[in-house]
Amino acid sequence: PGNYCNSSVAVGWQKGDAGFDNTAVLSRMVGKLAFDGDIASWSARMTRRMAAWAAEFKAARHLMVQDFHQLRPQPQTAEDWDVLQFIDYAGKDAALFVFAGSAAGRQRIALKGLHPDRTYSVSRRPKGKPRSVAGADLLGKGLAVSMEPGEAGLWRLHAV
Protein backbone atom coordinates (compact mmCIF):
# COMPACT_ATOMS: atom_id res chain seq x y z
CA PRO A 1 0.00 0.00 0.00
CA GLY A 2 0.98 3.60 -0.48
CA ASN A 3 0.62 4.64 3.14
CA TYR A 4 3.42 5.96 5.29
CA CYS A 5 3.86 4.42 8.72
CA ASN A 6 4.65 6.04 12.04
CA SER A 7 3.78 9.63 11.23
CA SER A 8 2.54 11.82 14.04
CA VAL A 9 1.74 15.42 14.79
CA ALA A 10 4.32 16.14 17.49
CA VAL A 11 3.40 19.02 19.78
CA GLY A 12 6.28 20.58 21.69
CA TRP A 13 6.05 21.47 25.35
CA GLN A 14 3.76 24.51 25.78
CA LYS A 15 3.70 25.18 22.01
CA GLY A 16 -0.10 25.37 21.89
CA ASP A 17 -1.56 25.89 18.43
CA ALA A 18 1.69 27.04 16.80
CA GLY A 19 2.83 25.27 13.66
CA PHE A 20 -0.15 23.01 12.95
CA ASP A 21 -2.10 23.76 9.83
CA ASN A 22 -4.21 21.36 7.79
CA THR A 23 -1.19 20.37 5.71
CA ALA A 24 0.64 19.18 8.83
CA VAL A 25 -2.28 16.92 9.69
CA LEU A 26 -3.18 15.72 6.18
CA SER A 27 0.43 14.75 5.47
CA ARG A 28 0.22 12.38 8.45
CA MET A 29 -3.22 11.04 7.51
CA VAL A 30 -1.74 8.98 4.66
CA GLY A 31 -0.37 6.63 7.31
CA LYS A 32 -0.84 6.41 11.05
CA LEU A 33 -2.37 9.62 12.29
CA ALA A 34 -1.29 10.23 15.86
CA PHE A 35 -0.96 13.24 18.12
CA ASP A 36 2.04 13.18 20.44
CA GLY A 37 3.41 15.53 23.05
CA ASP A 38 1.74 18.45 24.79
CA ILE A 39 -1.71 18.40 23.14
CA ALA A 40 -3.10 19.71 26.44
CA SER A 41 -1.63 23.09 25.46
CA TRP A 42 -3.98 23.33 22.45
CA SER A 43 -6.83 25.82 22.53
CA ALA A 44 -10.41 24.52 22.53
CA ARG A 45 -10.72 25.60 18.88
CA MET A 46 -7.59 23.65 17.86
CA THR A 47 -8.79 20.61 19.81
CA ARG A 48 -12.11 20.67 17.92
CA ARG A 49 -10.30 21.04 14.59
CA MET A 50 -7.99 18.12 15.33
CA ALA A 51 -10.96 16.02 16.52
CA ALA A 52 -12.66 16.69 13.17
CA TRP A 53 -9.54 15.57 11.28
CA ALA A 54 -9.25 12.47 13.48
CA ALA A 55 -12.86 11.60 12.60
CA GLU A 56 -12.04 12.02 8.90
CA PHE A 57 -9.04 9.73 9.29
CA LYS A 58 -11.12 7.07 11.05
CA ALA A 59 -13.68 7.21 8.24
CA ALA A 60 -11.00 6.72 5.55
CA ARG A 61 -8.34 4.53 7.17
CA HIS A 62 -9.78 1.30 5.73
CA LEU A 63 -8.79 2.63 2.29
CA MET A 64 -5.11 2.95 3.23
CA VAL A 65 -4.54 -0.79 2.81
CA GLN A 66 -6.52 -1.23 -0.40
CA ASP A 67 -5.70 0.23 -3.83
CA PHE A 68 -3.29 3.16 -4.10
CA HIS A 69 -2.60 5.46 -7.05
CA GLN A 70 0.08 8.15 -7.29
CA LEU A 71 -1.78 10.52 -9.64
CA ARG A 72 1.11 12.89 -10.32
CA PRO A 73 4.80 12.10 -10.67
CA GLN A 74 6.63 12.04 -7.38
CA PRO A 75 7.55 15.66 -6.57
CA GLN A 76 11.06 16.69 -7.60
CA THR A 77 10.92 20.35 -6.59
CA ALA A 78 9.25 22.40 -3.87
CA GLU A 79 6.75 23.69 -6.47
CA ASP A 80 5.51 20.24 -7.54
CA TRP A 81 2.12 18.99 -6.45
CA ASP A 82 1.76 15.57 -4.82
CA VAL A 83 -1.56 13.82 -5.50
CA LEU A 84 -2.47 10.49 -3.90
CA GLN A 85 -5.62 8.41 -4.23
CA PHE A 86 -6.67 5.55 -1.97
CA ILE A 87 -9.68 3.54 -3.18
CA ASP A 88 -11.46 0.41 -2.03
CA TYR A 89 -11.21 -2.71 -4.17
CA ALA A 90 -14.86 -2.35 -5.28
CA GLY A 91 -14.27 1.18 -6.66
CA LYS A 92 -17.06 2.66 -4.54
CA ASP A 93 -15.20 4.60 -1.85
CA ALA A 94 -12.10 6.76 -2.31
CA ALA A 95 -9.97 9.40 -0.63
CA LEU A 96 -7.98 11.93 -2.65
CA PHE A 97 -5.11 13.77 -0.96
CA VAL A 98 -3.68 16.82 -2.75
CA PHE A 99 -0.57 18.69 -1.60
CA ALA A 100 0.12 21.86 -3.60
CA GLY A 101 3.77 22.39 -2.78
CA SER A 102 4.84 26.03 -3.12
CA ALA A 103 2.98 26.54 -6.40
CA ALA A 104 -0.62 27.68 -6.23
CA GLY A 105 -2.96 26.99 -9.05
CA ARG A 106 -5.73 24.91 -10.51
CA GLN A 107 -5.36 21.41 -11.86
CA ARG A 108 -7.69 18.74 -13.18
CA ILE A 109 -6.97 15.43 -11.55
CA ALA A 110 -8.15 12.30 -13.35
CA LEU A 111 -8.96 9.61 -10.82
CA LYS A 112 -8.48 5.86 -11.18
CA GLY A 113 -10.39 2.73 -10.22
CA LEU A 114 -13.87 4.29 -10.25
CA HIS A 115 -16.81 2.88 -12.21
CA PRO A 116 -17.57 5.01 -15.29
CA ASP A 117 -21.27 4.09 -15.13
CA ARG A 118 -21.71 5.13 -11.48
CA THR A 119 -22.37 8.54 -9.95
CA TYR A 120 -20.21 9.68 -7.05
CA SER A 121 -20.83 12.06 -4.21
CA VAL A 122 -17.70 14.23 -4.04
CA SER A 123 -16.86 16.59 -1.19
CA ARG A 124 -13.85 18.40 0.14
CA ARG A 125 -13.43 17.52 3.76
CA PRO A 126 -14.20 18.36 6.43
CA LYS A 127 -16.75 21.03 5.50
CA GLY A 128 -17.29 20.93 1.75
CA LYS A 129 -20.75 20.52 0.28
CA PRO A 130 -21.20 17.19 -1.53
CA ARG A 131 -21.94 17.29 -5.23
CA SER A 132 -22.78 14.51 -7.65
CA VAL A 133 -20.31 13.76 -10.44
CA ALA A 134 -20.42 11.03 -13.06
CA GLY A 135 -17.71 8.40 -12.70
CA ALA A 136 -16.88 8.76 -16.40
CA ASP A 137 -16.19 12.48 -15.87
CA LEU A 138 -13.96 11.83 -12.85
CA LEU A 139 -11.99 9.27 -14.84
CA GLY A 140 -11.81 11.34 -18.02
CA LYS A 141 -12.03 15.09 -17.43
CA GLY A 142 -10.95 14.74 -13.82
CA LEU A 143 -11.78 16.70 -10.69
CA ALA A 144 -10.95 20.43 -10.80
CA VAL A 145 -8.88 21.37 -7.77
CA SER A 146 -7.70 24.86 -6.79
CA MET A 147 -5.00 25.22 -4.15
CA GLU A 148 -2.99 27.96 -2.48
CA PRO A 149 0.79 27.62 -1.97
CA GLY A 150 1.56 25.00 0.68
CA GLU A 151 -2.10 24.03 0.98
CA ALA A 152 -3.31 20.47 1.32
CA GLY A 153 -6.78 19.07 0.78
CA LEU A 154 -8.76 15.90 1.23
CA TRP A 155 -11.66 14.94 -0.99
CA ARG A 156 -13.91 11.94 -0.30
CA LEU A 157 -15.79 10.15 -3.05
CA HIS A 158 -18.64 7.68 -2.49
CA ALA A 159 -20.66 5.84 -5.11
CA VAL A 160 -24.35 6.69 -4.82
Side-chain angles (χ1 to χ4, degrees), residues 17-28:
D17 299 356
F20 299 105
D21 57 11
N22 292 339
T23 302
V25 177
L26 287 169
S27 66
R28 273 90 171 170

Side-chain angles (χ1 to χ4, degrees), residues 128-139:
K129 285 186 172 186
R131 60 188 175 103
S132 293
V133 183
D137 288 341
L138 292 166
L139 292 164

Side-chain angles (χ1 to χ4, degrees), residues 4-149:
Y4 306 105
C5 297
N6 299 320
S7 295
S8 66
V9 176
V11 182
W13 176 248
Q14 297 182 341
K15 293 296 181 185
D17 299 356
F20 299 105
D21 57 11
N22 292 339
T23 302
V25 177
L26 287 169
S27 66
R28 273 90 171 170
M29 282 178 68
V30 296
K32 171 201 81 146
L33 177 63
F35 301 98
D36 298 329
D38 190 16
I39 63 174
S41 67
W42 282 345
S43 67
R45 182 177 179 198
M46 176 65 86
T47 301
R48 285 190 301 274
R49 192 171 107 210
M50 293 302 138
W53 281 124
E56 292 294 339
F57 174 74
K58 289 177 182 180
R61 67 181 165 195
H62 67 284
L63 301 171
M64 306 297 171
V65 293
Q66 296 190 46
D67 282 341
F68 169 76
H69 300 282
Q70 179 85 37
L71 299 179
R72 292 287 184 272
Q74 188 168 355
Q76 301 297 308
T77 70
E79 293 84 19
D80 293 342
W81 286 30
D82 198 6
V83 182
L84 315 169
Q85 178 190 356
F86 296 90
I87 184 167
D88 69 353
Y89 295 130
K92 295 180 180 179
D93 187 17
L96 176 70
F97 290 85
V98 180
F99 301 92
S102 62
R106 179 179 168 93
Q107 293 190 16
R108 284 203 162 269
I109 299 167
L111 296 150
K112 295 186 178 183
L114 303 174
H115 296 282
D117 57 337
R118 304 277 315 244
T119 299
Y120 289 83
S121 174
V122 179
S123 63
R124 185 166 182 176
R125 308 303 305 150
K127 297 180 182 180
K129 285 186 172 186
R131 60 188 175 103
S132 293
V133 183
D137 288 341
L138 292 166
L139 292 164
K141 295 180 197 174
L143 181 67
V145 172
S146 296
M147 305 287 281
E148 295 298 323

